[in-house]
């Protein structure tokens, strides 16, 4: 089968990487190469920078109304090509097509629509300094932004960065994950067809070590928005430090899913199956540490195991598939090694633990893993502390509210948490104590893009969403006019 060859997108043109080198990416469901990705280097980032900095001089002066018009058009064109995007995302990442259709691609379009509207409705501060003058604040676009995105929600997370970046008048150089570049490549034509001027968004494909690092170390790129692993986040902080860059880092998580005995049991159970295994557990917001209040522990565990066993793992393009393939062979091995570690640490595999036995022949080399539930571990075990980022959850019985708050907060991470209780006072009390950027009560993954989003501790730096995205993608200044 011919491989899909993709090229960089600089100044609204598709161009080959300067060194002419490409590498293969794999179709995760079949375990075979399916696309060739430019192995871009610093020279390509420099070319993109030239285009983006030239475009900045005019784009930063374009009216908000005109920027919004183009962003709305981009959203409409993503919608118009939705099926194409859905199929490509599922094939490239391994995720079930139903998820790409209901979550990834609609949200990519909505990211543009949301920020198109957002910039039209912002009002800045003004204050009179009596007897002296009048102050007002003004937002300025900053310049060329480096946008580095991961492989788990490829187009969803990339557009979450591009939309506010260009809505605010900046220009961008994007570096999508080397594992999942296809939908970013397809987006380039959409941007051009929507009338986005040349150089406003440039796409440099390749690895983190070469293309990503060149963006981070570029002395004239003043802001970097990154979503990915915590270890990479630490490197980005160190490598960008000499240039005092503005950073927004959305990193890993080890999120608690707390089930109190007074919860709506069926709702908690059904949603916990989703928060454990959606996108094969490859969402930074998945609730991988399940804490259940002891009186309902056995019943909840049995329900969760029954539910997990019924989930259909396999062909990502089949409409009734619940879990597709993990993104890569290396990632499959990493996740599997945590399951093995769980056993060594004294855990009991309640279900799953390996490749499904029932895969059709064509998927035998794919990176599939059964939904896995591990019991019997204590909160100090590595499997209960480190991010696994796969279809693996631990389950643990707790006795008191104080105890569960303590074990939830005893983590290097602080991205999100779900808690399930019908007691409103308890919900507010516990939510107030949890160290996480987002706490969901009786739900999961409900996101209002107007609200702040980000992580505490090693889950990230900064907040994005609504006003907070505008804060990141603009410089805010005060102008004082004397009487
Ligand atoms: O992410 P990386 P990986 C977690 C998850 C996963 C782990 C590693 O635990 O197992 O991170 O995944 C680019 N300078 N999450 O290896 O490496 C890279 O090319 C600049 C959590 O895929 O962090 C890609 O575009 N850029 C998560 C992006 O960074 C660099 C989503 C993310 O890759 C770079 C994905 C460097 N030195 C993984 N090194 C989430 N929070 O949603 C890499 N990159």
């Amino acid at each position: 089968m011919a491989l899909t060859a993709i090229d960089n997108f600089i100044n609204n043109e598709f161009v080959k990487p300067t060194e002419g080198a490409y590498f293969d990416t794999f179709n995760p469901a079949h375990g075979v190469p399916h696309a060739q990705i430019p192995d871009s280097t610093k020279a390509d980032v420099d070319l993109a920078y030239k285009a983006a900095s030239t475009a900045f001089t005019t784009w930063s002066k374009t009216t908000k109304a005109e920027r919004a018009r183009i962003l709305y058009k981009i959203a409409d064109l993503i919608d118009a090509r939705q099926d194409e995007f859905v199929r490509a995302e599922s094939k490239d990442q391994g995720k079930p097509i139903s998820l790409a259709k209901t979550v990834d691609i609609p949200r990519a379009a909505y990211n543009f629509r949301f920020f198109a509207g957002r910039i039209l409705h912002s009002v800045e501060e003004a204050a009179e300094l009596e007897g002296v003058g009048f102050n007002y604040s003004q937002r300025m676009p900053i310049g060329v932004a480096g946008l580095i995105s991961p492989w788990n929600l490829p187009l969803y997370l990339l557009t979450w960065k591009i939309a506010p970046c260009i809505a605010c008048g900046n220009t961008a150089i994007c570096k999508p994950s080397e594992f999942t570049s296809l939908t970013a490549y397809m987006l380039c034509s959409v941007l051009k067809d929507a009338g986005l001027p040349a150089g406003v968004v440039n796409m440099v494909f390749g690895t983190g070590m070469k293309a990503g690092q060149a963006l981070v170390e570029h002395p004239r790129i003043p802001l970097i928005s990154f979503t990915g692993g915590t270890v990479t986040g630490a490197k980005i902080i160190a490598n960008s430090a000499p240039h005092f860059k503005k950073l927004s880092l959305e990193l890993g998580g080890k999120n608690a899913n707390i089930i109190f005995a007074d919860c709506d049991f069926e709702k908690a159970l059904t949603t916990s199956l989703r928060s454990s295994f959606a996108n094969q557990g490859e969402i930074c917001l998945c609730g991988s540490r399940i804490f259940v209040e002891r009186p309902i522990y056995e019943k909840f565990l049995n329900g969760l195991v029954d539910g997990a066993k019924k989930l259909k793992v396999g062909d990502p393009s089949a409409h009734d598939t619940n879990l597709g393939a993990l993104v890569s062979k290396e990632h499959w091995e990493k996740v599997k090694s945590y399951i093995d570690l769980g056993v060594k640490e004294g855990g009991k595999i309640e279900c799953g633990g390996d490749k499904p036995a029932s895969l059709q022949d064509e998927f035998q080399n794919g990176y599939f893993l059964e939904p896995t539930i591990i019991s019997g571990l204590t909160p100090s075990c590595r499997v209960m502390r480190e991010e696994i980022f796969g279809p693996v959850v631990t389950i643990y019985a707790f006795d008191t509210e104080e105890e569960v708050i303590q074990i939830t907060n005893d983590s290097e991470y602080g991205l999100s948490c779900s808690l399930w209780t019908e007691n409103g006072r308890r919900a507010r009390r516990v939510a107030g104590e949890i160290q996480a950027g987002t706490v969901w009560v009786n739900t999961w993954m409900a996101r209002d893009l107007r609200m702040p989003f980000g992580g505490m501790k090693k889950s990230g730096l900064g907040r994005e969403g609504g006003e907070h995205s505008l804060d990141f993608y603009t410089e805010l200044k005060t102008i004082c006019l004397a009487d």
Side-chain angles (χ1 to χ4, degrees):
M1 204 167 41
L3 301 188
T4 308
I6 76 172
D7 279 315
N8 289 336
F9 182 69
I10 297 177
N11 229 6
N12 272 8
E13 300 294 338
F14 290 102
V15 292
K16 300 205 173 304
T18 46
E19 290 185 7
Y22 293 79
F23 56 84
D24 292 347
T25 55
F26 287 69
N27 172 326
H30 293 92
V32 293
H34 79 141
Q36 285 191 312
I37 312 299
D39 192 2
S40 303
T41 61
K42 183 175 173 305
D44 300 296
V45 168
D46 288 344
L47 279 180
Y49 176 76
K50 217 168 146 205
S53 58
T54 305
F56 180 72
T57 55
T58 43
W59 182 248
S60 58
K61 302 280 185 267
T62 307
T63 62
K64 288 180 187 165
E66 173 62 3
R67 284 184 237 144
R69 189 188 66 75
I70 296 176
L71 265 72
Y72 281 126
K73 179 84 181 155
I74 295 170
D76 289 346
L77 290 181
I78 295 174
D79 283 348
R81 299 184 196 170
Q82 195 191 67
D83 284 350
E84 219 182 303
F85 274 107
V86 164
R87 281 196 304 274
E89 200 71 297
S90 166
K91 185 176 168 200
D92 202 27
Q93 204 274 343
K95 67 179 67 222
I97 200 147
S98 57
L99 195 72
K101 194 174 172 62
T102 53
V103 177
D104 294 73
I105 306 306
R107 178 54 194 282
Y110 187 64
N111 285 335
F112 285 102
R113 239 169 236 132
F114 176 81
F115 284 105
R118 188 66 189 77
I119 50 163
L120 297 178
H121 298 276
S122 60
V123 177
E124 305 311 333
E125 292 165 282
E128 188 182 358
L129 193 58
E130 285 172 87
V132 179
F134 175 79
N135 295 290
Y136 64 95
S137 63
Q138 192 176 48
R139 291 186 182 277
M140 286 180 79
I142 302 177
V144 179
L147 310 179
I148 303 175
S149 55
W151 47 257
N152 58 334
L153 300 167
L155 196 67
Y156 174 128
L157 288 173
L158 180 62
T159 53
W160 172 242
K161 299 180 190 303
I162 296 176
C165 174
I166 64 173
C168 289
N170 305 289
T171 57
I173 305 175
C174 310
K175 212 300 284 170
S177 168
E178 54 269 52
F179 295 103
T180 51
S181 300
L182 280 193
T183 49
Y185 173 66
M186 291 165 61
L187 181 69
C188 300
S189 310
V190 165
L191 299 173
K192 198 169 171 173
D193 293 350
L196 191 70
V200 175
V201 172
N202 306 276
M203 214 67 83
V204 174
F205 296 98
T207 65
M209 285 309 290
K210 286 190 202 168
Q213 195 146 322
L215 267 181
V216 170
E217 291 177 343
H218 196 291
R220 289 173 166 258
I221 295 177
L223 66 170
I224 298 285
S225 174
F226 167 81
T227 302
T230 292
V231 173
T232 315
K235 280 190 205 151
I236 288 176
I237 293 173
N239 292 337
S240 64
H243 307 292
F244 293 87
K245 297 193 182 208
K246 212 171 167 184
L247 298 180
S248 172
L249 306 177
E250 206 264 275
L251 309 175
K254 188 74 181 175
N255 311 305
N257 180 18
I258 304 171
I259 322 285
F260 286 101
D262 64 0
C263 69
D264 175 335
F265 188 88
E266 282 311 316
K267 201 172 164 205
L269 185 64
T270 316
T271 310
S272 295
L273 276 167
R274 268 199 321 118
S275 66
S276 300
F277 304 121
N279 206 41
Q280 304 76 241
E282 295 166 328
I283 304 180
C284 53
L285 302 168
C286 279
S288 55
R289 291 189 293 162
I290 304 178
F291 300 133
V292 188
E293 203 169 2
R294 199 171 303 276
I296 61 163
Y297 176 81
E298 286 301 328
K299 185 177 168 200
F300 193 87
L301 170 63
N302 293 335
L304 199 68
V305 169
D306 280 354
K309 284 181 175 165
K310 288 188 188 122
L311 294 174
K312 214 174 149 204
V313 187
D315 184 1
S317 69
H319 288 275
D320 59 347
T321 292
N322 300 110
L323 281 81
L326 299 197
V327 72
S328 66
K329 184 165 183 285
E330 299 73 31
H331 191 57
W332 189 95
E333 284 163 0
K334 175 190 148 182
V335 176
K336 177 72 169 79
S337 75
Y338 272 106
I339 297 173
D340 298 342
L341 177 64
V343 174
K344 277 195 207 113
E345 288 187 317
K348 175 177 174 210
I349 308 291
E350 298 281 353
C351 64
D354 215 328
K355 206 165 187 162
S358 58
L359 289 172
Q360 295 157 259
D361 281 354
E362 61 176 307
F363 299 116
Q364 286 301 329
N365 293 327
Y367 318 129
F368 296 92
L369 199 52
E370 296 167 310
T372 301
I373 301 171
I374 309 179
S375 65
L377 294 175
T378 57
S380 60
C381 290
R382 279 183 56 201
V383 171
M384 273 183 78
R385 304 188 71 81
E386 297 176 15
E387 186 180 43
I388 300 175
F389 218 62
V392 180
V393 295
T394 57
I395 186 160
Y396 179 81
F398 70 90
D399 292 297
T400 66
E401 194 178 297
E402 293 69 29
E403 178 196 3
V404 81
I405 292 172
Q406 189 274 324
I407 52 181
T408 297
N409 287 342
D410 179 23
S411 169
E412 290 192 319
Y413 295 104
L415 192 56
S416 71
C417 172
S418 282
L419 55 103
W420 294 86
T421 173
E422 293 294 292
N423 178 337
R425 286 168 68 194
R426 189 210 308 261
R428 284 195 299 281
R429 197 166 57 232
V430 178
E433 291 296 318
I434 297 296
Q435 295 163 0
T438 300
V439 179
W440 284 295
V441 179
N442 298 332
T443 185
W444 176 70
M445 269 290 263
R447 272 278 280 123
D448 181 333
L449 301 195
R450 295 168 298 182
M451 300 301 286
F453 180 78
M456 298 183 185
K457 303 189 261 187
K458 289 190 178 174
S459 289
L461 275 187
R463 295 288 179 272
E464 291 197 42
E467 189 79 5
H468 303 274
S469 296
L470 303 194
D471 283 343
F472 179 68
Y473 287 107
T474 58
E475 284 290 8
L476 195 54
K477 78 176 152 199
T478 299
I479 296 171
C480 180
L481 303 174
D483 286 339

